[in-house]
């Protein structure tokens, strides 16, 4: 049987696909481009283009498990629900969703997918990782380069940052075990770090002083919008800070 990896060219998708293939599992990567790094097989799948939903099943009729990466949007249920329903009709028996530690079932973003899977009557697993360590660079590079600062609304709150490798290991576990007994798995790193501590670590690594500027949630929305992030996503990210 075959495991379909959506978002297959993203942070976790490619690593997970290689790990599964190295363990002799059949894997198909789905992405908006339809490409996949060799020797993996790729197929085009765009959550906002329903005409692509049949593509994975046309490419491989043996898909029985799907790893779900949701798009960066506040409403992800509307585009994903038809695909999940189609996948069930095609014989998919297990879904594994990459959610987040703050995304409660029924909440915004992947929380809606979590809730839908729970009521669907299929086997499913939901990974709820803390913030990715690797995303620190993506989030803060502009501010570090331009002003030697990181800006958050976390105040003195602490985060158990987790590495992508650990999330991939957890996803591999959910996709390969015989039966998922407990469908929700929190994936956290070993240390709780405030952003003041993150700034200290970055200062030491970069050889110059990096500061943590503590602002309000609405101010963080403005920062994200300044980076070109859509307002609804900026509000979601800022809300996570809060």
């Amino acid at each position: 049987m075959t495991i379909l990896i959506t978002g297959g060219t993203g942070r976790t998708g490619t690593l997970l696909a290689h790990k599964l293939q190295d363990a002799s599992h059949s894997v198909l990567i789905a992405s908006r481009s339809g490409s996949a790094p060799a020797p993996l097989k790729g197929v085009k799948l765009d959550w906002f283009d329903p005409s692509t939903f049949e593509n994975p099943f046309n490419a491989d009729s043996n898909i029985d498990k799907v790893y779900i990466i949701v798009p960066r949007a506040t409403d992800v249920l509307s585009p994903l629900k038809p695909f999940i329903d189609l996948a069930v009709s095609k014989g998919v028996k297990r879904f594994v969703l990459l959610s987040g530690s703050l995304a409660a079932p029924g909440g915004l973003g992947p929380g809606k997918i979590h809730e839908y899977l729970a009521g669907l009557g299929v086997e499913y697993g939901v990974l709820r990782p803390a913030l990715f360590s690797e995303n620190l660079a993506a989030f803060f590079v502009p501010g570090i380069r331009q002003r030697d600062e990181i800006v958050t609304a976390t105040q003195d709150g602490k985060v158990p940052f987790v590495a992508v490798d650990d999330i991939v290991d957890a996803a591999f576990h959910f996709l390969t075990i015989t039966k998922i007994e407990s469908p929700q798995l929190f994936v956290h790193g070993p240390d709780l770090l405030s952003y003041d501590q993150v700034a200290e670590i970055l200062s030491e690594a970069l050889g110059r002083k990096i500061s943590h500027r503590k602002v309000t949630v609405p101010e963080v929305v403005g920062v994200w919008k300044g980076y070109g992030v859509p307002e609804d996503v900026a509000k979601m990210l800022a809300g996570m800070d809060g």
Side-chain angles (χ1 to χ4, degrees):
M1 304 304 288
T2 299
I3 300 172
L4 177 66
I5 308 294
T6 72
T9 56
R11 287 199 185 279
T12 63
T14 302
L15 289 175
L16 176 59
H18 280 295
K19 186 177 180 70
L20 288 164
Q21 189 166 73
D22 289 346
S24 300
H25 294 279
S26 175
V27 178
L28 180 63
I29 277 187
S31 66
R32 285 178 296 177
S33 67
S35 61
L40 298 166
K41 298 177 294 182
V43 66
K44 181 178 177 61
L45 175 65
D46 185 336
W47 292 133
F48 299 104
D49 182 1
S51 70
T52 66
F53 289 1
E54 291 269 1
N55 289 351
F57 308 102
N58 291 334
D60 192 325
S61 62
N62 295 315
I63 296 169
D64 69 334
K65 298 173 184 174
V66 177
Y67 177 65
I68 299 177
I69 298 288
V70 303
R72 182 176 284 185
T74 51
D75 177 17
V76 295
L77 182 60
S78 295
L80 266 68
K81 181 180 178 296
F83 174 82
I84 293 171
D85 292 344
L86 174 66
V88 172
S89 75
K90 295 290 187 179
V92 171
K93 299 295 191 294
R94 180 184 300 181
F95 295 89
V96 174
L97 169 68
L98 180 61
S99 183
S101 60
L102 298 179
L108 290 177
K112 294 292 186 185
I113 304 297
H114 185 163
E115 181 181 53
Y116 186 67
L117 290 173
L120 201 56
V122 297
E123 190 176 28
Y124 74 97
V126 177
L127 301 172
R128 295 185 62 182
L131 291 178
F132 294 19
S133 303
E134 288 82 355
N135 277 349
L136 282 169
F139 288 174
F140 297 125
V141 160
I144 291 171
R145 284 180 173 168
Q146 297 168 20
R147 296 178 295 278
D148 287 338
E149 69 176 12
I150 56 179
V151 183
T152 83
T154 60
Q155 303 304 318
D156 297 320
K158 296 186 175 184
V159 180
F161 294 99
V162 64
V164 166
D165 282 347
D166 293 320
I167 299 165
V168 168
D169 285 346
F172 180 89
H173 169 74
F174 262 161
L175 286 165
T176 59
I177 57 174
T178 302
K179 182 178 177 59
I180 296 178
E181 300 289 352
S182 179
Q184 187 169 229
L185 182 63
F186 287 86
V187 191
H188 291 169
D191 300 307
L192 281 166
L193 296 175
S194 69
Y195 278 100
D196 285 347
Q197 291 171 295
V198 169
E200 291 173 6
I201 293 169
L202 290 172
S203 297
E204 182 176 349
L206 296 173
R208 66 183 196 269
K209 176 63 177 176
I210 306 298
S211 61
H212 171 215
R213 181 157 61 93
K214 303 172 185 178
V215 300
T216 65
V217 169
E219 287 175 300
V220 170
V221 173
V223 171
W224 280 112
K225 289 174 65 178
Y227 295 158
V229 174
E231 184 171 6
D232 59 341
V233 178
K235 288 181 177 179
M236 181 172 66
L237 292 170
M240 289 171 61
D241 267 13

PDB file of all heavy atoms in Angstrom, residues 2-3 34 38 54 82 86 101 104 120 124 162 180 183 192 200 215:
ATOM      1  N   THR A   2       0.277   2.402  -0.288  1.00  0.00           N
ATOM      2  CA  THR A   2       1.033   3.635  -0.487  1.00  0.00           C
ATOM      3  C   THR A   2       0.601   4.709   0.506  1.00  0.00           C
ATOM      4  O   THR A   2      -0.584   4.844   0.815  1.00  0.00           O
ATOM      5  CB  THR A   2       0.836   4.157  -1.927  1.00  0.00           C
ATOM      6  OG1 THR A   2       1.325   3.182  -2.844  1.00  0.00           O
ATOM      7  CG2 THR A   2       1.565   5.475  -2.142  1.00  0.00           C
ATOM      8  N   ILE A   3       1.582   5.480   0.977  1.00  0.00           N
ATOM      9  CA  ILE A   3       1.329   6.610   1.871  1.00  0.00           C
ATOM     10  C   ILE A   3       1.449   7.893   1.059  1.00  0.00           C
ATOM     11  O   ILE A   3       2.484   8.147   0.427  1.00  0.00           O
ATOM     12  CB  ILE A   3       2.321   6.627   3.045  1.00  0.00           C
ATOM     13  CG1 ILE A   3       2.195   5.340   3.861  1.00  0.00           C
ATOM     14  CG2 ILE A   3       2.074   7.855   3.930  1.00  0.00           C
ATOM     15  CD1 ILE A   3       3.274   5.185   4.932  1.00  0.00           C
ATOM     16  N   GLY A  34       3.680  19.628  -8.198  1.00  0.00           N
ATOM     17  CA  GLY A  34       3.674  18.278  -8.729  1.00  0.00           C
ATOM     18  C   GLY A  34       5.046  17.645  -8.786  1.00  0.00           C
ATOM     19  O   GLY A  34       5.191  16.490  -9.205  1.00  0.00           O
ATOM     20  N   ALA A  38      14.214  13.548  -6.340  1.00  0.00           N
ATOM     21  CA  ALA A  38      14.548  12.161  -6.706  1.00  0.00           C
ATOM     22  C   ALA A  38      15.032  11.396  -5.471  1.00  0.00           C
ATOM     23  O   ALA A  38      15.677  11.978  -4.591  1.00  0.00           O
ATOM     24  CB  ALA A  38      15.626  12.178  -7.783  1.00  0.00           C
ATOM     25  N   GLU A  54      -8.313  14.420  -7.611  1.00  0.00           N
ATOM     26  CA  GLU A  54      -8.273  13.036  -8.107  1.00  0.00           C
ATOM     27  C   GLU A  54      -6.847  12.604  -8.482  1.00  0.00           C
ATOM     28  O   GLU A  54      -6.573  11.393  -8.586  1.00  0.00           O
ATOM     29  CB  GLU A  54      -9.180  12.882  -9.324  1.00  0.00           C
ATOM     30  CG  GLU A  54     -10.668  12.988  -9.031  1.00  0.00           C
ATOM     31  CD  GLU A  54     -11.289  11.635  -8.716  1.00  0.00           C
ATOM     32  OE1 GLU A  54     -10.554  10.627  -8.705  1.00  0.00           O
ATOM     33  OE2 GLU A  54     -12.517  11.594  -8.481  1.00  0.00           O
ATOM     34  N   PRO A  82     -13.707  18.315   1.164  1.00  0.00           N
ATOM     35  CA  PRO A  82     -14.023  17.506  -0.019  1.00  0.00           C
ATOM     36  C   PRO A  82     -12.924  16.500  -0.366  1.00  0.00           C
ATOM     37  O   PRO A  82     -13.214  15.389  -0.812  1.00  0.00           O
ATOM     38  CB  PRO A  82     -14.187  18.551  -1.131  1.00  0.00           C
ATOM     39  CG  PRO A  82     -14.506  19.822  -0.417  1.00  0.00           C
ATOM     40  CD  PRO A  82     -13.746  19.755   0.865  1.00  0.00           C
ATOM     41  N   LEU A  86     -13.304  12.460  -0.411  1.00  0.00           N
ATOM     42  CA  LEU A  86     -12.914  11.721  -1.605  1.00  0.00           C
ATOM     43  C   LEU A  86     -11.932  10.615  -1.249  1.00  0.00           C
ATOM     44  O   LEU A  86     -12.059   9.472  -1.725  1.00  0.00           O
ATOM     45  CB  LEU A  86     -12.282  12.666  -2.628  1.00  0.00           C
ATOM     46  CG  LEU A  86     -11.679  12.003  -3.878  1.00  0.00           C
ATOM     47  CD1 LEU A  86     -12.763  11.356  -4.723  1.00  0.00           C
ATOM     48  CD2 LEU A  86     -10.888  13.033  -4.694  1.00  0.00           C
ATOM     49  N   SER A 101       0.377  22.763  18.869  1.00  0.00           N
ATOM     50  CA  SER A 101       0.093  22.628  20.300  1.00  0.00           C
ATOM     51  C   SER A 101      -1.028  23.554  20.754  1.00  0.00           C
ATOM     52  O   SER A 101      -1.764  23.245  21.691  1.00  0.00           O
ATOM     53  CB  SER A 101       1.360  22.891  21.126  1.00  0.00           C
ATOM     54  OG  SER A 101       1.853  24.195  20.886  1.00  0.00           O
ATOM     55  N   ALA A 104      -6.510  23.671  19.378  1.00  0.00           N
ATOM     56  CA  ALA A 104      -7.434  22.745  20.031  1.00  0.00           C
ATOM     57  C   ALA A 104      -8.446  22.209  19.027  1.00  0.00           C
ATOM     58  O   ALA A 104      -8.794  22.889  18.051  1.00  0.00           O
ATOM     59  CB  ALA A 104      -8.157  23.446  21.181  1.00  0.00           C
ATOM     60  N   LEU A 120     -15.442  11.462  11.859  1.00  0.00           N
ATOM     61  CA  LEU A 120     -15.612  10.814  10.567  1.00  0.00           C
ATOM     62  C   LEU A 120     -15.691   9.288  10.665  1.00  0.00           C
ATOM     63  O   LEU A 120     -16.189   8.635   9.754  1.00  0.00           O
ATOM     64  CB  LEU A 120     -14.457  11.213   9.642  1.00  0.00           C
ATOM     65  CG  LEU A 120     -14.652  11.066   8.136  1.00  0.00           C
ATOM     66  CD1 LEU A 120     -15.873  11.833   7.661  1.00  0.00           C
ATOM     67  CD2 LEU A 120     -13.400  11.552   7.399  1.00  0.00           C
ATOM     68  N   TYR A 124      -7.329   7.923  12.756  1.00  0.00           N
ATOM     69  CA  TYR A 124      -6.592   9.162  12.532  1.00  0.00           C
ATOM     70  C   TYR A 124      -5.624   9.410  13.690  1.00  0.00           C
ATOM     71  O   TYR A 124      -5.789   8.895  14.799  1.00  0.00           O
ATOM     72  CB  TYR A 124      -7.548  10.354  12.394  1.00  0.00           C
ATOM     73  CG  TYR A 124      -8.166  10.800  13.710  1.00  0.00           C
ATOM     74  CD1 TYR A 124      -7.621  11.868  14.434  1.00  0.00           C
ATOM     75  CD2 TYR A 124      -9.274  10.148  14.242  1.00  0.00           C
ATOM     76  CE1 TYR A 124      -8.169  12.260  15.639  1.00  0.00           C
ATOM     77  CE2 TYR A 124      -9.820  10.533  15.441  1.00  0.00           C
ATOM     78  CZ  TYR A 124      -9.273  11.592  16.145  1.00  0.00           C
ATOM     79  OH  TYR A 124      -9.807  11.980  17.354  1.00  0.00           O
ATOM     80  N   VAL A 162      10.612  22.810  19.241  1.00  0.00           N
ATOM     81  CA  VAL A 162      10.900  21.429  18.864  1.00  0.00           C
ATOM     82  C   VAL A 162      11.484  21.389  17.457  1.00  0.00           C
ATOM     83  O   VAL A 162      11.120  22.197  16.598  1.00  0.00           O
ATOM     84  CB  VAL A 162       9.627  20.554  18.963  1.00  0.00           C
ATOM     85  CG1 VAL A 162       8.566  21.005  17.979  1.00  0.00           C
ATOM     86  CG2 VAL A 162       9.949  19.078  18.764  1.00  0.00           C
ATOM     87  N   ILE A 180      -3.443   2.952  15.836  1.00  0.00           N
ATOM     88  CA  ILE A 180      -3.310   4.167  16.645  1.00  0.00           C
ATOM     89  C   ILE A 180      -4.251   4.047  17.841  1.00  0.00           C
ATOM     90  O   ILE A 180      -5.472   4.064  17.676  1.00  0.00           O
ATOM     91  CB  ILE A 180      -3.638   5.426  15.824  1.00  0.00           C
ATOM     92  CG1 ILE A 180      -2.628   5.600  14.687  1.00  0.00           C
ATOM     93  CG2 ILE A 180      -3.630   6.669  16.722  1.00  0.00           C
ATOM     94  CD1 ILE A 180      -2.904   6.789  13.783  1.00  0.00           C
ATOM     95  N   PRO A 183      -5.086   9.011  19.650  1.00  0.00           N
ATOM     96  CA  PRO A 183      -4.949   9.771  18.402  1.00  0.00           C
ATOM     97  C   PRO A 183      -4.309  11.145  18.517  1.00  0.00           C
ATOM     98  O   PRO A 183      -4.098  11.805  17.502  1.00  0.00           O
ATOM     99  CB  PRO A 183      -6.393   9.897  17.923  1.00  0.00           C
ATOM    100  CG  PRO A 183      -7.200   9.877  19.167  1.00  0.00           C
ATOM    101  CD  PRO A 183      -6.486   8.933  20.096  1.00  0.00           C
ATOM    102  N   LEU A 192      12.171  24.789  27.944  1.00  0.00           N
ATOM    103  CA  LEU A 192      11.278  25.940  27.850  1.00  0.00           C
ATOM    104  C   LEU A 192      12.132  27.196  27.739  1.00  0.00           C
ATOM    105  O   LEU A 192      12.943  27.480  28.625  1.00  0.00           O
ATOM    106  CB  LEU A 192      10.384  26.026  29.090  1.00  0.00           C
ATOM    107  CG  LEU A 192       9.176  25.090  29.134  1.00  0.00           C
ATOM    108  CD1 LEU A 192       8.597  25.048  30.544  1.00  0.00           C
ATOM    109  CD2 LEU A 192       8.123  25.546  28.137  1.00  0.00           C
ATOM    110  N   GLU A 200      19.354  35.948  23.545  1.00  0.00           N
ATOM    111  CA  GLU A 200      20.701  35.737  24.084  1.00  0.00           C
ATOM    112  C   GLU A 200      21.450  34.678  23.271  1.00  0.00           C
ATOM    113  O   GLU A 200      22.638  34.834  22.962  1.00  0.00           O
ATOM    114  CB  GLU A 200      20.619  35.300  25.549  1.00  0.00           C
ATOM    115  CG  GLU A 200      20.143  36.391  26.493  1.00  0.00           C
ATOM    116  CD  GLU A 200      19.921  35.862  27.911  1.00  0.00           C
ATOM    117  OE1 GLU A 200      20.251  34.678  28.154  1.00  0.00           O
ATOM    118  OE2 GLU A 200      19.427  36.620  28.761  1.00  0.00           O
ATOM    119  N   VAL A 215       5.971  43.630  22.558  1.00  0.00           N
ATOM    120  CA  VAL A 215       4.912  44.526  22.109  1.00  0.00           C
ATOM    121  C   VAL A 215       3.560  43.856  22.327  1.00  0.00           C
ATOM    122  O   VAL A 215       3.468  42.744  22.847  1.00  0.00           O
ATOM    123  CB  VAL A 215       5.098  44.913  20.628  1.00  0.00           C
ATOM    124  CG1 VAL A 215       6.428  45.619  20.409  1.00  0.00           C
ATOM    125  CG2 VAL A 215       5.006  43.673  19.737  1.00  0.00           C
TER     126      VAL A 215
END
